[in-house]
Amino acid sequence: MSGYHITAMLDEAVEMLALRPGRIIVDGTLGGCGHARQICRRIAPGGTLIGIDQDRDAIDRARRVLPIDDLKIHIVHGNFVDLPLFLSQLDIAAVDGILIDIGLSQHQIEASGRGFSFNRDEPLDMRMDIRSSVTAAELVASMGERELATLFSRYGEERWAMRIARHLVARRKTQPVKTSGQLARLVVEAVPAGAARSQKIHPATRVFMALRIAVNRELEVLDRFLETAVDLLNPGGRLCVLAFHSLEDRIVKQRFRLLENPCTCPPSFPRCVCGLTPTVRRVNRKVLRPTDDEVSKNPMARSTRLRAVERL
């Protein structure tokens, strides 16, 4: 279907889940259902898929395209951070695999009409779940210069954060910033021309990413989810995470390392006395990245990072 991107690292992610018929698997980010459809094929007959997404468009698509023969499918409109609640409601104590893909779908960029793209002039919304209360336009209108600069720097790692924030605040005094096109033009005006020419990405890329992360509380949600996700796995069950920028991947990497080596004893101690033992083993010691061939066919996959752990 037009507007739904090619799923990033599809084969690698599905292999990481170690799927087989009869397994209970969670796809916490249905998106275009690329991963979910492959999962369904591999857990049938007798398997169960719990598919979650906070975007109503993704939920509607899942109900149209996912197979229903020889397996159980539960489709949930919500955020994967609430997985413990969803499993409780389904009377499922634990699952055999969890996959989350934390990227934007091409549909959200090109066809959602919510201002995710700096190449379009749409309402500056950026909510993945339209039931959420705060939009990107509201943040841009209400935050002070220093707050905006901190946001652009922390979540977007934007070099020109203060300069962009100052320009934005000055401009909004005479013209509210209500669309993605307006914001993109403001950022281009604020970034020095020489710096903009030397970048491989559009000057507004990092600002748009920062606002999207803030609106959807993406890093907070990811961190909270990772605190409890492994507890929801059966022994031998796997948790796989596809991240798309360094901030997300850093959270995943640090959490996986802590789960694998939770000991807090000083290195000088001859033996562990804290009593904390590993709960997982890392499936891939080194982060997996897409192949050059995949990137050439699907440029949106170029920044993908895949990590997985298995519960002991």
Side-chain angles (χ1 to χ4, degrees), residues 258-305:
L258 181 61
L259 290 168
E260 188 178 49
N261 183 22
C263 178
T264 58
C265 297
S268 59
F269 277 30
R271 62 183 179 84
C272 174
V273 296
C274 71
L276 297 175
T277 58
T279 54
V280 305
R281 72 169 185 89
R282 278 182 285 174
V283 177
N284 53 320
R285 306 301 300 181
K286 185 178 180 181
V287 66
L288 291 186
R289 303 294 299 268
T291 63
D292 292 341
D293 183 56
E294 178 175 1
V295 173
S296 68
K297 295 174 181 176
N298 180 20
M300 285 185 67
R302 65 184 178 274
S303 62
T304 314
R305 300 161 172 90

Side-chain angles (χ1 to χ4, degrees), residues 71-93:
L71 73 165
K72 296 178 182 177
I73 295 181
H74 304 283
I75 298 175
V76 182
H77 184 200
N79 193 300
F80 58 76
V81 75
D82 294 318
L83 180 58
L85 172 62
F86 302 148
L87 293 182
S88 175
Q89 291 171 340
L90 294 169
D91 199 24
I92 296 174

Side-chain angles (χ1 to χ4, degrees), residues 78-115:
N79 193 300
F80 58 76
V81 75
D82 294 318
L83 180 58
L85 172 62
F86 302 148
L87 293 182
S88 175
Q89 291 171 340
L90 294 169
D91 199 24
I92 296 174
V95 301
D96 300 305
I98 303 171
L99 172 70
I100 58 169
D101 173 346
I102 326 174
L104 279 174
S105 73
Q106 194 164 344
H107 168 78
Q108 287 171 322
I109 294 171
E110 295 186 356
S112 71
R114 282 175 255 157

Side-chain angles (χ1 to χ4, degrees), residues 196-213:
R197 285 193 298 269
S198 67
Q199 294 184 100
K200 295 181 180 180
I201 58 176
H202 189 283
T205 300
R206 295 187 178 93
V207 167
F208 271 66
M209 182 178 76
L211 279 170
R212 191 198 79 224
I213 288 172

Side-chain angles (χ1 to χ4, degrees), residues 1-57:
M1 179 183 294
S2 175
Y4 280 92
H5 71 275
I6 304 169
T7 304
M9 300 187 72
L10 175 60
D11 293 336
E12 294 91 338
V14 171
E15 287 300 322
M16 282 286 191
L17 286 170
L19 302 172
R20 60 176 182 265
R23 291 212 141 190
I24 304 172
I25 304 296
V26 174
D27 184 341
T29 46
L30 284 167
C33 293
H35 289 120
R37 282 186 291 186
Q38 281 289 89
I39 290 169
C40 288
R41 293 187 184 106
R42 298 205 185 191
I43 63 174
T48 300
L49 173 74
I50 300 102
I52 304 167
D53 208 288
Q54 58 185 324
D55 192 321
R56 170 57 70 181
D57 293 346

